[in-house]
Amino acid sequence: MKKLTCFTALLAATVSVHAQELRVTTPLHPEGAKVTIYREWPVRRLIDTPLVRQGAILIQLPDSGAAVYTVSLRKPYVNVTLFSSATPVSVTIGKDTQAIVKGGPVLEKLNAFEQSMKPVEAVWSKLGTQYGNTTDLDAKLAISEKMNKMATEVQAKRLAFALENVDNLAGAWSAYHYAFAWTGASLSKLIPSFRQQDWAAATMQKLIEKQAESDKINMTGKTAPAFALRSLNGKVVDLGSLVAGNKYVLLDVWASWCTPCRAGNRKLAPHYAALKKKGIEIVSVSVDEKDDLWRKAVASDKIPWPQLVAPEGMKSDIVAQYNVKSLPATFLINKEGKIIQQHVEISDLEKLP
């Protein structure tokens, strides 16, 4: 077997693990069942695939520094995350496949946090199911608003946990594992904090890569790409004419099937007259591929500002030129034709001079 500096354990009525040693005991899996052990951090690598013998496996892990492992079995599926540590780990798996993992204060801190998140995420998941099963637009809008609030709450809690544990594996793993979900605002707090942790270079690299992805599609500070598109009445409207006649132009890329887009339309519509008086024009570009759906949505949402349509939906030039990756996508353009802000809210428009 191999040498180690970590310990890990997985299934069992009760599993005992000595430092540097991994012991898996399971009453749920048959003789010869495969146990898959990966080192997930700092670099993902398959460690071993031992087989269950007499209800257990025993191996030693190879790392001598900080590391994160996952141990998994199938039929029934069980997956557990474990940290390298100088103290033993024990994992208790009940007949319902739920695991109780104990293995040092840092791991226990992470497990306690994840446990505290389960009620919030359960409600979030339930709302997602309701959203998917609902066909009424007003009901979908109401559910969507609740989901957005919960998404913000989850992100804030995960960010706080990572920052509070920036000096240990619980924080480093959380920041790394959830890198796909971090917003630009979260990254602006995480990167400076982890830059000071030399031992967590893998996490820092992951955050930098995520920031680079965000920067690549960021249009702020660039000249707004020109476009000329067909309006509701068939007239072609170009960006230049909109910019020339107003102090600011808010470009909104949307679609009739995008519930958050529809919610944004309805919230913004009552403010349009006041914004227009301030010299702020709004222009929406739909990526609907069927004119009737586009026109029906405009009428239903009572949108008073200019409405244009991209001829090839999400494959249109304007989508590529503005790096639109999700909907709605909003861009605030000044009189010089520069994009000065993305992801624009009504409050942002009201503050404009």
Side-chain angles (χ1 to χ4, degrees):
M1 294 248 177
K2 302 173 185 173
K3 241 184 162 194
L4 97 173
T5 220
C6 185
F7 52 129
T8 292
L10 187 355
L11 323 158
T14 299
V15 177
S16 61
V17 180
H18 301 291
Q20 320 300 326
E21 185 175 82
L22 164 60
R23 182 177 181 83
V24 177
T25 306
T26 172
L28 302 179
H29 297 83
E31 186 76 1
K34 184 169 73 172
V35 180
T36 304
I37 303 165
Y38 271 94
R39 182 183 66 194
E40 302 288 350
W41 184 100
V43 178
R44 192 169 198 264
R45 180 167 70 86
L46 179 65
I47 298 299
D48 206 345
T49 55
L51 304 180
V52 172
R53 299 300 183 195
Q54 298 182 340
I57 65 105
L58 175 65
I59 73 165
Q60 291 191 323
L61 299 170
D63 293 289
S64 60
V68 179
Y69 295 91
T70 55
V71 182
S72 61
L73 289 92
R74 295 184 179 277
K75 296 182 180 180
Y77 178 74
V78 178
N79 186 76
V80 177
T81 299
L82 300 164
F83 293 165
S84 57
S85 172
T87 58
V89 173
S90 69
V91 180
T92 301
I93 302 294
K95 292 183 179 180
D96 58 357
T97 73
Q98 295 301 305
I100 299 175
V101 185
K102 296 183 179 180
V106 176
L107 180 58
E108 290 177 10
K109 183 182 291 188
L110 176 66
N111 289 339
F113 172 72
E114 292 296 347
Q115 194 66 30
S116 74
M117 293 295 290
K118 285 185 177 181
V120 178
E121 293 180 333
V123 174
W124 194 10
S125 177
K126 184 178 180 179
L127 286 171
T129 301
Q130 292 175 356
Y131 181 88
N133 294 334
T134 300
T135 56
D136 180 75
L137 178 59
D138 288 327
K140 288 182 85 75
L141 291 174
I143 296 171
S144 177
E145 188 168 348
K146 291 179 182 178
M147 290 178 65
N148 289 338
K149 288 180 179 178
M150 295 206 74
T152 301
E153 179 184 350
V154 168
Q155 174 107 173
K157 288 183 176 180
R158 291 204 174 279
L159 174 63
F161 180 81
L163 293 173
E164 288 166 5
N165 292 278
V166 71
D167 61 347
N168 61 60
L169 265 177
W173 172 245
S174 293
Y176 179 95
H177 187 58
Y178 291 100
F180 70 92
W182 296 128
T183 63
S186 295
L187 289 169
S188 69
K189 296 179 180 179
L190 288 165
I191 289 176
S193 297
F194 279 99
R195 184 172 283 122
Q196 303 172 39
Q197 307 296 327
D198 293 341
W199 62 274
T203 295
M204 183 62 186
Q205 182 61 35
K206 190 80 167 181
L207 296 174
I208 289 174
E209 289 172 1
K210 175 64 176 178
Q211 183 66 67
E213 290 176 11
S214 299
D215 291 344
K216 191 179 294 185
I217 63 174
N218 183 21
M219 295 292 290
T220 303
K222 298 178 181 178
T223 298
F227 59 80
L229 298 170
R230 176 172 56 88
S231 67
L232 279 171
N233 61 13
K235 179 182 177 182
V236 173
V237 176
D238 65 272
L239 177 62
S241 63
L242 295 169
V243 170
N246 299 280
K247 292 171 66 177
Y248 302 95
V249 173
L250 176 67
L251 168 63
D252 170 37
V253 183
W254 72 296
S256 65
W257 41 261
C258 167
T259 303
C261 301
R262 303 289 296 277
N265 287 340
R266 295 185 178 194
K267 286 182 179 178
L268 190 56
H271 299 269
Y272 177 61
L275 293 173
K276 183 69 174 172
K277 286 181 180 179
K278 290 183 63 174
I280 303 169
E281 180 60 283
I282 303 171
V283 59
S284 289
V285 175
S286 167
V287 293
D288 280 287
E289 295 184 1
K290 295 183 177 180
D291 262 25
D292 59 330
L293 296 179
W294 166 45
R295 293 175 182 276
K296 183 178 178 181
V298 172
S300 176
D301 294 345
K302 300 178 181 178
I303 311 175
W305 54 86
Q307 295 293 313
L308 312 179
V309 64
E312 297 178 351
M314 288 299 288
K315 295 180 181 179
S316 299
D317 288 344
I318 190 171
V319 172
Q321 291 168 345
Y322 279 82
N323 286 322
V324 175
K325 304 299 180 184
S326 61
L327 301 177
T330 52
F331 307 85
L332 184 61
I333 303 167
N334 67 11
K335 197 165 182 62
E336 286 69 47
K338 297 284 185 181
I339 298 172
I340 59 173
Q341 187 179 339
Q342 292 178 244
H343 315 297
V344 187
E345 301 290 341
I346 295 172
S347 58
D348 298 321
L349 298 175
E350 291 175 336
K351 293 175 186 176
L352 290 173

